[in-house]
Every structure is written in structure tokens, then in C-alpha cells.
Amino acid sequence: MSPTTAGTVQGSPLSPLRSNLVLDELDRELERRGLAFCRCADDCNSFVRTPNAAERVMASISGDSETRLKLVVNREQSPAMGSRQPEPIGSKVLGFTSVGEMIAIAHNAQQRARDKVKDLTPRGTHLRLEASSERINSWYVGWASDFALSNYPAQLRKIEAHSRRRLRSRWIDQQQNRRHRYRKLTTRGVPRRQAAAAVFSHRGRWALSNTRAVTQAYSHAWFIAVLGQATRADQKLPHWFDVDRWIRLA
């Protein structure tokens, strides 16, 4: 490790506090100009109506910040976008994106969550499903709390479903003997013909993890009751839409 000679270490508890102290002058300048904006630590979004206005404000504020506040603006991570609608559409901040007046989890944030679930259920590990589920829970509870501001609980439900599929795939991988898989499925109430069609096929473990036989044997209810899967999509918060309402993001 090398000593830090300038700035604050990223992730430090003091980082947001120092950002607020340094950028208070920026907040006042944005207010003075009558711009709509939101800021969390050093992540700031300002909202205008047209692309030309976005470019103009971006150049002005960046130049002012570098001259007066002596701050270096990362131009590559500071895009200027505009909308001709009366409300911001498609703007992204802290993993959220605006859809008209609604708030959704940004596509990139959802993809990172899926990647995290994949990292927590690596292929070839011999961890029991209970242990893997606990690892996912310890991460997911915090992640879901951070993104509970979304108006679309279906986005949380999709991550929960992806976690279950990853664990079903792990179960298939650990049950190398097909006859053993067959007995497990029939023991859990799957009809013999349906279990045989799934187990004795040439499909890979990922495809098998989504077959009716496997999802019936290891259902949503089973994951909650037996593995203690943490779910948040069923909380029915006041600002949430119905859990079946989906939003498609680019």
C-alpha cells in the first residue's frame, strides 16, 4: 500500500462528510442559477430540458469548479444529456434511473447484482446450498434496502428469482449421478415421467435448472422455508407498484 498524499480514500467514512463541506459552494451556485439538481457526496446530477442547455451548463459548471474550487472534473464520467420533455428521462444517479416521474433500478445496477450472485455461487464449489444461500442473503438484504427507493419491486423479484436459479443449478452440479437426481425429484413429488424427461435429457445444468420438474421440486416456497432465502419484493411498500408491473430499460 502507498500513502495517500491528496484527497480522501474512496469508501472512507469521512469521504461523504468532506464532499459535503467542499461542494457546499457548488450547491449554492447551482441554487443561485435556478437549476434543478441532486447530489450525494461527490455524485451530482443537474437537470435541464435540452441537449444544448446540458452542454452549456456542463461546460460552465465544470470550468467554474476547476477554477474556483480547484477540483478536477472527470470528463469521461461526466456526460451531458438533455431531454425535450418537461421531466428528466433516462438520467442515472447512484444506480437509479428516472422514467418520467418514476424511479427504477438502472440496467447496469441490475446487471452488477446478477454478477454478484454469480460470484457468490461459483461453479465447482462444494459448499452446501444452505451456506450458499446465507452468503447471498448477507449481501442481498443490504443491496435490496439500498434500492428500495425504486417504484418497481419486480426488479427485486427478478434478482431473487435469479438467485434461486443459480442455487438450483448448483444442486444439479452437485448431483452428478442422474439416477440420484431422478430419485431426489420424485421423492419431492415430481411425477416420474416429468422427472425422467428432465434428468435423462442432454440439456446442461443451466437449462435443467429452469425445467418444470426442478422448479416444482425446489420451489419459491421451499427456498424460503428450508433455505431461509431473504426476499424483499413482497414487502408492499407504499410507493411501490404491483409486483407484476415490469419496466424494460436499455
Side-chain angles (χ1 to χ4, degrees):
M1 296 179 64
S2 57
T4 301
T5 58
T8 304
V9 177
Q10 186 175 8
S12 166
L14 289 178
S15 183
L17 176 60
R18 291 186 177 182
S19 295
N20 289 337
L21 291 173
V22 173
L23 296 177
D24 180 68
E25 188 173 345
L26 174 62
D27 294 345
R28 294 179 184 274
E29 178 62 21
L30 293 173
E31 290 174 352
R32 186 186 69 79
R33 298 187 184 195
L35 294 172
F37 72 96
C38 65
R39 182 179 64 79
C40 181
D42 63 343
D43 196 337
C44 182
N45 276 24
S46 181
F47 304 104
V48 295
R49 293 190 178 184
T50 67
N52 289 339
E55 294 287 351
R56 184 172 61 253
V57 170
M58 180 65 192
S60 175
I61 293 298
S62 297
D64 194 54
S65 298
E66 292 175 342
T67 302
R68 294 173 54 192
L69 301 180
K70 308 301 181 184
L71 300 175
V72 178
V73 178
N74 189 328
R75 306 284 178 167
E76 294 182 358
Q77 296 185 11
S78 303
M81 300 178 293
S83 170
R84 299 187 182 278
Q85 300 296 328
E87 67 276 342
I89 295 178
S91 57
K92 299 176 183 178
V93 59
L94 300 177
F96 291 99
T97 186
S98 60
V99 184
E101 296 181 353
M102 301 298 107
I103 298 175
I105 303 173
H107 176 76
N108 289 344
Q110 293 182 74
Q111 188 57 53
R112 287 194 297 270
R114 292 171 64 89
D115 292 341
K116 181 64 176 181
V117 173
K118 184 176 180 179
D119 291 340
L120 293 172
T121 54
R123 190 168 185 174
T125 181
H126 295 288
L127 279 178
R128 293 173 58 84
L129 293 185
E130 292 82 358
S132 295
S133 182
E134 288 178 5
R135 294 176 64 183
I136 294 176
N137 285 346
S138 64
W139 159 78
Y140 178 71
V141 170
W143 184 88
S145 297
D146 289 342
F147 286 97
L149 186 62
S150 168
N151 296 120
Y152 298 90
Q155 294 181 300
L156 301 180
R157 184 173 66 173
K158 188 171 184 179
I159 300 301
E160 295 168 5
H162 182 66
S163 299
R164 289 191 292 272
R165 186 171 180 184
R166 288 289 305 181
L167 290 174
R168 292 187 188 106
S169 179
R170 280 280 313 284
W171 173 81
I172 292 170
D173 193 46
Q174 292 177 352
Q175 307 293 326
Q176 293 292 335
N177 188 297
R178 293 189 177 188
R179 293 185 178 278
H180 188 56
R181 289 182 197 169
Y182 172 80
R183 286 195 297 269
K184 285 274 189 177
L185 293 178
T186 54
T187 299
R188 297 202 52 78
V190 178
R192 293 185 177 182
R193 181 175 296 180
Q194 190 178 89
V199 170
F200 297 109
S201 69
H202 295 289
R203 284 174 286 189
R205 66 171 194 151
W206 185 244
L208 283 175
S209 68
N210 202 37
T211 58
R212 186 174 180 180
V214 177
T215 57
Q216 177 182 332
Y218 299 96
S219 64
H220 183 177
W222 181 87
F223 274 92
I224 295 175
V226 178
L227 291 190
Q229 182 189 20
T231 59
R232 293 295 181 269
D234 53 0
Q235 287 184 305
K236 297 183 179 179
L237 299 183
H239 65 284
W240 279 2
F241 291 129
D242 187 88
V243 72
D244 291 324
R245 181 169 175 175
W246 179 248
I247 177 69
R248 185 178 296 277
L249 301 172

